Each structure stands twice: as structure tokens, then as C-alpha cells.
Amino acid sequence: MKLCVEPTAFIIGLVCKCIQMREHVQSVHRYDELGETMRYIRMSDAKPGMCLAYNMYDADGHTLICSGSTLSKFYIKKLNEYGFDGVYINDDLSEDIEIEPVISPDLRTEGLVTVRNSDVDGCKGVAKKIVSQVLHKGVLSLDLTDLRCFDGYTYAHSVNVAVLACIIGFGLKMNEASLEQLVMAGLLHDLGKLVIPPEILNKPARLTNDEYEVMKQHATLSYEMIKERWDISAQVKAAVLYHHENVDGSGYPQGIYGDNMTIFTKILHVADVYDALVSRRPYKNPYSPFEACEFLMGAGGIMFDRQVVEALLLYVPFYPKGTQVELSDGRQGIIVENKGNRNLRPLLRLLDGTMMDMLDQKNFNLTILHGVNEEIMDPCAEESERRKMLTPFKKYRIMIIDDMLINLQTFRGFLQNVYELSMLTSVEQALLQLKRQPEPDLVILDMDMPEMNGIDASAKIRDFTGNTVPVLFVIDSYDKSLVARCRKAGAAGYIVRPYKPTYVKSEIKRILSGQKITE
């Protein structure tokens, strides 16, 4: 017996408080072990009177609506406001569709809370429990769609990555001790995001280059939070620091290649990207599991280790059980079974209740087009977006020439995280480097160099580079005649000491973006 009290207000994200009898508590324990019959629907298809088959949680892991509740207009409205993409329901069409979570809801909530609180010791305990539950199940399938609201993404993502990493490690035959270390890395890998400015972390659009450089610091920040912990292994620390490195050397923070990446690092990278792809964010729609797997396979050998991707694909159903799909003949059905060779040709229950086996020869002419209500992208636009994801942002190279080390150190302090810097104390050094290395995108030159003045030095650099590299002069005071000489020499701009970092950054950005000097 279940009794749910209809709320009159939505206080601190709590939709309802469920009063449950002893038999219901026992049913929850059975659910954790045996799974529940249910199917997934988008929020746009949720209707009053439907029976909820899986608990809904807020960003802190509190239960909003409990399994067995009847959806009302109020519940549906509030779930939409929270940003939920869909719910699991129980009805006649979900009969015999048993979906089992990889880890229990209670453990998922415990993991979410420990990550939110940056509780490293708590994460160690959660890691052990995750491995224990994964090993206890033995045969895994990632059918259950993660139900979460936007605000809980960072914490829930870390738990998801930890579980995915455990499953990959399980597929690669890792032992229990290694799995616990791997899961620990997954829980800790994004701790640094908790100190990234929210306006960047949750920006509902593609990040600018400067914002992206700030975001990239989260891996290093996560590492800084655990590097002094003697009780955390070097394997875990390395995986946390390098989880955005690509096997072709194009990742960050250090651009290491696959041969220099540990297996923990490679696993964490694949798990991190997969969960990010299938998650809805303010700036993007979620990929379907099929699309995410296509991306991982397409980037094998570029971003990801192929063996690691293959280990994940053993447990990812392209069409998860309980999801509603549309067939090439216009009919719709619910995925009932998808294991093994049924991954691409599943068993379905059509909306009229009849069964369809896509492995049956008479159905070979049919294909699954997409999930019902799935946001369908134009293939060309989707490929363009995929290429953007595979193409790293350009990091501009800046050569700074100043005979005073204190000035060079000042520049390094506020530019090194955004640009690739060459710090030189003489024009001769600069000319020598220009012979040996690729041209920089910008030269910042002190006007008052000891061996020659800045105008002559600029002329030499411009002659050497074919007048293709812009020069930004640094002058000691604003003097109209000096400024006129700078402009006559073809300077891209000038900055006056003592300069403010924000002004210097804006001038650099203006020059690199091709804008003309302001009068």
C-alpha cells in the first residue's frame, strides 16, 4: 500500500512526501536487486494519471516524487520547471520490460553528496560500494536513462563517470583493487569545476576562447585538491590531471600522447566524454546512446583508445530497453530486449501490444529511424558539430621582448593560462628564435630596448617575417610624438606602463581578432 500526500507548495524542491507502509519498503529492496518493469517517456508525453515507476530526485539527491505515485498536472508542471527530460512509467506497454540500475539509487545519492561536499574520504567509501555492486551484478547493461535536473549535472556527472569507468574496467578484466582506484578517480576528476565561475560553468552557449581556457583549468584544479594526499595513489592523481588528454596528443593540460597515458587516464577520458554526450545541458541537446557510440568509435585513435571504447560498447545498448522508437514504416514500438545480436535489431512491442522481432527475416526491410520525440539534427549540421568537438581551440603564440625580467614575469602571471608565451630579453634572441621556430601570432615589444630602440627592432622583426606578424609596443608614458612614431612604424597598438592586465588582454584580443586600432 502507498499513500502520497498532494503538496500545496513546492518547497526547497520537494514535490511530495511519501508515507509508505512496511510492504512498500520491502518492495524497494526487491527493486534494488531485481529491477522494475517500466518504460521511458519524454516529459512532453507525460499525462496526468500515469503511474511513476522510478523515483525522481533533485540536485541534492532528495526524493521529489516517489515510485508508485500518480502523476498530476502539478507534478508534471514542476518536473518541467526543474528541467527533467523524461520519466519512467509503468503501464500495459511496459509489461515484461525489466530495467535494472547498475547501482542502487541510495548509493547514487550518497556519491552525489560526497562529490558536492568535496569529501575525499567519503568518496573512498563510495568507490568501494560501487565496485561491490557492479561485481555483484556481473552482467551489466546501461539501459537506465539518467534522470536528473540541470542544477545537479556536475555532481551527478562525477558519479556517472565513476560508474562508467568501473564498467569499462570490468570489461577489461581489472581486479577489484584496481577498480576501486579507478572509481575513486572518476568521483574526484571534476572537483575543480566547483570553483569555476558559474557564469562560465553553466553558460548556455559555446564558450569563447578565454572562457574555454578558464574551463580547462578544472583538471589542474582537481589535481591540486588531492596532490598532497598520501593515501591517494599516483594512478588516481594522474588520471584526474590528464582526463582531458587525447591519444593523438591534442588534449590538455600538457598534450601528452597515448603511449604516455595510463590505462586509468584513457578509461576516465572515454567515460567522461560519453556521459557528457548523452546528457542534456543548457547549451546542447543530448546525444542518443547510438549517436554517442558513433562519436566514440569515429574518434578512436584520435581522442580515445580503441580498446577502451570497445570495452564500453560491450555494455551500451544502442536502443535502451523501455525507450519508444519510430520505425521506417511509420509505426512505433517499445524496446523489450536488446542484448547481444539484438543490439541493432531489438525485440519490440508495438503500440497496439503486438510483438515484433527485428531479427526475423520478414522484418529485415525495416530499420529504426530514431527515438520518439528525439531531437533530430540535420546530418550535415551534426557532422559539423562533431568536427568542432574533435578540433581543439587554437592557442595563440605570443613573443614578449623586454630586457627587464620583472616585466616578463608580470606578463607571464596573467597571460600564461591563455596563450603560449615566449619570453625573451633581447631582440637578437628574438630574431634567432624566429629562424628556428614557427612565427608567433603577436609580438609584444618594449620600446626602450638597450641595444636598439623599439622602432628599429620592430622594423627588423617585420622584415624578417615578411610584415605578417603584428607588433604591440610597450611604452613608459603617453607622448603624442612617440605614439605617432609607433603608428608610422605600422604598430598594431601600444600599451602604457603601468598597465592594467584587463586592458592588456583586451588589446591582445582586439589585435588577434583583426580589429583596427582605436583612435
Side-chain angles (χ1 to χ4, degrees):
M1 175 180 178
K2 307 183 184 96
L3 177 63
C4 288
V5 180
E6 182 76 7
T8 57
F10 206 74
I11 302 172
I12 318 177
L14 189 62
V15 174
C16 69
K17 288 190 178 288
C18 293
I19 304 172
Q20 301 169 322
M21 302 290 286
R22 178 184 181 89
E23 60 204 66
H24 176 65
V25 175
Q26 291 173 341
S27 72
V28 171
H29 291 310
R30 290 197 301 273
Y31 159 77
D32 289 342
E33 294 191 3
L34 300 176
E36 185 74 50
T37 57
M38 55 185 171
R39 68 183 180 96
Y40 177 79
I41 62 170
R42 298 273 183 168
M43 285 306 306
S44 56
D45 290 326
K47 300 291 187 296
M50 288 182 170
C51 181
L52 195 70
Y54 193 80
N55 288 356
M56 304 297 293
Y57 302 95
D58 68 6
D60 297 318
H62 300 137
T63 301
L64 296 177
I65 310 179
C66 61
S67 171
S69 299
T70 300
L71 287 179
S72 65
K73 288 183 179 180
F74 179 81
Y75 288 167
I76 294 170
K77 177 177 178 289
K78 290 304 179 182
L79 291 174
N80 275 309
E81 290 175 357
Y82 261 57
F84 287 101
D85 196 40
V87 295
Y88 277 98
I89 64 167
N90 187 289
D91 61 8
D92 291 340
L93 288 173
S94 66
E95 183 184 1
D96 299 330
I97 304 176
E98 188 172 290
I99 304 174
E100 184 179 6
V102 176
I103 63 171
S104 69
D106 287 346
L107 179 54
R108 181 175 290 277
T109 298
E110 184 181 350
L112 183 150
V113 172
T114 57
V115 173
R116 182 193 61 196
N117 295 335
S118 301
D119 181 1
V120 177
D121 291 322
C123 286
K124 292 173 71 174
V126 170
K128 285 182 175 291
K129 294 177 184 178
I130 289 175
V131 173
S132 176
Q133 290 195 10
V134 169
L135 293 181
H136 175 70
K137 286 188 170 58
V139 179
L140 306 162
S141 182
L142 297 171
D143 284 295
L144 189 68
T145 299
D146 184 30
L147 305 178
R148 58 188 172 199
C149 55
F150 290 154
D151 292 340
Y153 174 77
T154 299
Y155 319 127
H157 171 69
S158 294
V159 178
N160 282 355
V161 169
V163 173
L164 288 166
C166 186
I167 289 170
I168 295 171
F170 177 83
L172 293 173
K173 312 299 186 199
M174 285 187 172
N175 62 38
E176 186 171 354
S178 296
L179 289 175
E180 288 178 5
Q181 294 292 303
L182 180 60
V183 172
M184 182 72 170
L187 293 170
L188 301 176
H189 81 287
D190 268 355
L191 287 184
K193 281 187 177 178
L194 303 182
V195 296
I196 297 292
E199 60 271 20
I200 294 178
L201 188 64
N202 299 315
K203 183 179 178 181
R206 189 172 176 84
L207 299 179
T208 66
N209 280 4
D210 288 348
E211 291 168 338
Y212 181 63
E213 291 300 327
V214 173
M215 179 64 81
K216 284 165 60 176
Q217 294 175 21
H218 80 270
T220 302
L221 291 170
S222 299
Y223 170 75
E224 292 290 333
M225 295 171 74
I226 62 172
K227 71 176 184 179
E228 301 298 334
R229 294 280 302 236
W230 62 268
D231 55 339
I232 297 178
S233 72
Q235 277 255 61
V236 171
K237 293 174 183 177
V240 168
L241 178 61
Y242 296 131
H243 72 271
H244 278 290
E245 298 286 3
N246 298 327
V247 295
D248 68 348
S250 62
Y252 65 86
Q254 295 182 12
I256 62 175
Y257 286 84
D259 290 343
N260 297 317
M261 296 166 65
T262 67
I263 188 62
F264 276 29
T265 301
K266 294 174 181 177
I267 291 174
L268 208 58
H269 187 29
V270 169
D272 179 58
V273 172
Y274 177 81
D275 187 65
L277 288 174
V278 298
S279 301
R280 178 180 293 278
R281 302 295 291 127
Y283 53 83
K284 79 169 188 70
N285 289 326
Y287 278 46
S288 69
F290 181 80
E291 291 169 328
C293 291
E294 282 285 320
F295 178 85
L296 293 177
M297 290 186 287
I302 302 171
M303 293 177 67
F304 313 114
D305 181 275
R306 287 192 176 92
Q307 184 182 10
V308 173
V309 172
E310 290 170 1
L312 176 62
L313 295 183
L314 291 173
Y315 307 103
V316 176
F318 292 151
Y319 306 103
K321 285 192 289 186
T323 54
Q324 189 169 331
V325 296
E326 183 171 333
L327 301 175
S328 54
D329 65 357
R331 288 183 292 176
Q332 296 181 6
I334 313 295
I335 305 296
V336 175
E337 188 55 69
N338 53 13
K339 290 183 180 178
N341 57 357
R342 291 193 182 279
N343 204 356
L344 280 171
R345 309 291 296 177
L347 179 67
L348 297 94
R349 177 175 288 117
L350 301 180
L351 297 190
D352 63 5
T354 60
M355 302 300 293
M356 172 184 285
D357 187 351
M358 296 196 71
L359 282 177
D360 193 316
Q361 188 172 0
K362 67 181 181 182
N363 296 320
F364 280 1
N365 63 319
L366 295 174
T367 59
I368 294 176
L369 296 181
H370 52 77
V372 174
N373 292 332
E374 183 179 304
E375 291 86 353
I376 303 170
M377 293 180 63
D378 173 62
C380 294
E382 190 171 1
E383 177 61 15
S384 174
E385 184 63 23
R386 189 185 76 85
R387 289 184 180 276
K388 281 183 183 178
M389 293 179 70
L390 291 174
T391 303
F393 285 90
K394 178 179 180 181
K395 192 166 188 178
Y396 289 99
R397 297 186 301 275
I398 298 179
M399 176 182 286
I400 304 177
I401 310 169
D402 195 312
D403 63 310
M404 299 292 290
L405 288 177
I406 184 69
N407 294 334
L408 293 177
Q409 290 169 355
T410 300
F411 276 116
R412 186 190 300 277
F414 63 83
L415 293 180
Q416 66 177 347
N417 289 331
V418 183
Y419 302 104
E420 183 179 320
L421 304 179
S422 295
M423 320 291 284
L424 305 168
T425 57
S426 72
V427 177
E428 292 302 320
Q429 285 181 350
L431 295 174
L432 198 61
Q433 181 165 307
L434 287 170
K435 291 180 181 179
R436 298 174 178 173
Q437 297 183 13
E439 293 180 359
D441 298 293
L442 172 67
V443 171
I444 299 178
L445 175 62
D446 181 18
M447 177 65 83
D448 190 23
M449 294 296 291
E451 69 268 31
M452 66 179 75
N453 65 51
I455 301 295
D456 293 338
S458 173
K460 281 183 173 288
I461 292 171
R462 292 166 70 87
D463 287 343
F464 191 87
T465 61
N467 202 29
T468 59
V469 179
V471 176
L472 175 63
F473 281 120
V474 180
I475 57 181
D476 287 323
S477 61
Y478 180 81
D479 180 272
K480 289 186 177 180
S481 62
L482 183 56
V483 171
R485 289 176 61 202
C486 289
R487 292 178 175 169
K488 187 175 181 180
Y494 61 90
I495 51 179
V496 183
R497 293 193 186 96
Y499 41 73
K500 294 183 178 179
T502 52
Y503 177 74
V504 175
K505 287 182 178 180
S506 66
E507 274 296 277
I508 292 173
K509 188 174 182 179
R510 176 188 65 76
I511 294 168
L512 293 176
S513 63
Q515 300 178 39
K516 294 183 179 180
I517 189 170
T518 55
E519 296 295 333

